Amino acid sequence: MPVLNEEDSLSAAVATILAQDYEGQREVVLALGPSEDGTNEIARALAADDPRIVVVDNPAGDTPTGLNLAVARTRHPVIIRVDAHSELTPDYAAAGVEVLRTTRAANVGGLMVARGRTPFQRAAARAYMSPVGLGGPAYHSGDAPQEAESAYLGVFRREVFDELGGFDPTLRRGQDWELNLRIREAGGRIWFDPHLQVTYWPRTSWKKIAQQFRATGIWRAELIRRHGAKNSLRYFAPPLLVLGLAAAGLEALAQLSGTTRRWPKFLRRFTSLVYVAPAGYVLGLLAEVARARDLGLRERAWYLAILPTMHLCWGAGFLRGLLRGAGTTADRSR
């Protein structure tokens, strides 16, 4: 477990690991980054109270570095990646090990079940689980057991790390996808099973959601720069949305300034088509919010704000990353 600024959730996350209904031996290795709250004190107190908990220092604070340090400290043949802001179901470890055995996969992942405690967080959770929100991978919106491109968190065979070298420390985001790509290229299987479920608690404010998705978009673009066509076409939808809205904005300015009056009629009709995609997007958002009948009015209002925030921040970040690379961009939302 890589840990950074998680004082509100660390104890609960560790408790769900220790409470696993699993008969085999287990250990919990916490890679402690340079937290600015009381996270590290909590982690060391947990380790002092239970010999199964081990802490390692991760001065860089990067997730892939922390994961590699934690893996290096482990002793067992199955390695389960967990996050400090997530909580496992009691049968997660046992079910994950069993799926590894029956499918002969190299890595197994399940469903990320987003939940919220406040109206904002519940709206964010709904966005995470909706195909209109994050879309794409089965671990967000659910599907039947099947081979997958990547996995949420992951239950790994140790050989993955012995043979492939673990997570790429130069990737601050998207390191899971990149490792799963190398697993597949080496002939290994990634398997999704919806019976494996992890409770995920989203960011708690609009600013943090925006920061998170901007950083994610930047790093996805870095993966595009490195691995090109090995990435799914769905990753290009948010940046195309940003470009479409920008084009509509420029067209509106040209019309308001009278510039388009000097253009040929056929050209004015053609450029006016840039409004079609943004109008369709807005109508789609309104329809999605209208379908969210399980949300209250306040939650629906946040839902309507969160969906375009996710899409536009991700898309803008992607365009920035595609042009300039990710560099040292970090997710500052925690």
Side-chain angles (χ1 to χ4, degrees):
M1 178 191 291
V3 182
L4 182 69
N5 295 326
E6 299 285 2
E7 66 176 1
D8 293 335
S9 59
L10 178 60
S11 295
V14 171
T16 67
I17 300 170
L18 298 177
Q20 289 294 295
D21 183 14
Y22 180 71
E23 295 181 357
Q25 295 182 355
R26 76 193 77 170
E27 61 187 346
V28 183
V29 185
L30 309 178
L32 305 184
S35 293
E36 298 174 350
D37 56 14
T39 296
N40 291 359
E41 289 75 14
I42 293 172
R44 297 188 193 283
L46 291 171
D49 289 339
D50 194 318
R52 294 173 296 178
I53 302 174
V54 178
V55 298
V56 296
D57 288 325
N58 174 27
D62 294 340
T63 296
T65 300
L67 287 168
N68 289 337
L69 289 169
V71 168
R73 182 61 179 77
T74 60
R75 300 177 289 115
H76 298 297
V78 175
I79 295 171
I80 302 179
R81 181 192 166 174
V82 291
D83 279 346
H85 49 277
S86 301
E87 298 175 12
L88 309 180
T89 56
D91 64 343
Y92 186 87
V97 171
E98 182 60 25
V99 175
L100 275 183
R101 287 173 176 158
T102 57
T103 63
R104 299 184 181 276
N107 181 23
V108 170
L111 187 63
M112 183 192 78
V113 182
R115 301 189 188 280
R117 298 183 177 94
T118 66
F120 177 88
Q121 202 175 37
R122 285 193 290 272
R126 176 62 179 262
Y128 271 79
M129 299 289 290
S130 169
V132 178
L134 290 182
Y139 57 77
H140 286 309
S141 53
D143 209 334
Q146 59 186 278
E147 284 197 51
E149 173 188 10
S150 189
Y152 177 56
L153 301 180
V155 180
F156 295 86
R157 296 181 184 273
R158 188 179 195 88
E159 301 93 277
V160 167
F161 300 93
D162 294 338
E163 297 174 11
L164 300 182
F167 295 92
D168 185 340
T170 69
L171 293 173
R172 292 189 172 185
R173 303 283 294 185
Q175 65 275 346
D176 305 84
W177 181 90
E178 191 274 341
L179 176 57
N180 285 307
L181 171 65
R182 281 188 280 132
I183 291 173
R184 290 186 283 111
E185 289 181 335
R189 275 175 125 187
I190 312 300
W191 192 263
F192 167 78
D193 192 311
H195 297 101
L196 296 173
Q197 296 189 5
V198 181
T199 297
Y200 173 84
W201 299 100
R203 303 313 196 253
T204 56
S205 72
W206 180 87
K207 179 181 178 180
K208 290 180 178 181
I209 289 284
Q211 290 174 326
Q212 177 191 15
F213 278 86
R214 178 180 180 274
T216 303
I218 289 174
W219 281 103
R220 175 51 60 180
E222 180 67 26
L223 290 170
I224 296 286
R225 289 164 65 102
R226 297 189 190 191
H227 299 288
K230 296 174 183 177
N231 291 265
S232 172
L233 289 176
R234 71 174 181 270
Y235 296 123
F236 291 90
L240 288 176
L241 172 64
V242 171
L243 292 175
L245 292 175
L250 292 174
E251 172 70 8
L253 289 175
Q255 290 179 349
L256 290 173
S257 66
T259 302
T260 57
R261 295 174 186 171
R262 299 189 294 271
W263 296 353
K265 189 173 183 180
F266 78 91
L267 182 59
R268 293 200 302 271
R269 289 179 176 176
F270 178 76
T271 59
S272 293
L273 293 176
V274 299
Y275 293 127
V276 174
Y281 176 70
V282 171
L283 290 175
L285 287 180
L286 294 174
E288 172 64 16
V289 173
R291 284 195 295 267
R293 296 178 180 176
D294 55 315
L295 299 180
L297 290 178
R298 187 178 178 188
E299 292 162 343
R300 285 196 193 191
W302 275 124
Y303 191 39
L304 184 59
I306 289 170
L307 284 173
T309 298
M310 292 166 56
H311 298 155
L312 297 178
C313 289
W314 201 102
F318 182 96
L319 293 172
R320 185 267 191 198
L322 200 62
L323 293 174
R324 300 171 54 187
T328 59
T329 300
D331 179 4
R332 305 296 184 188
S333 62
R334 287 200 183 276

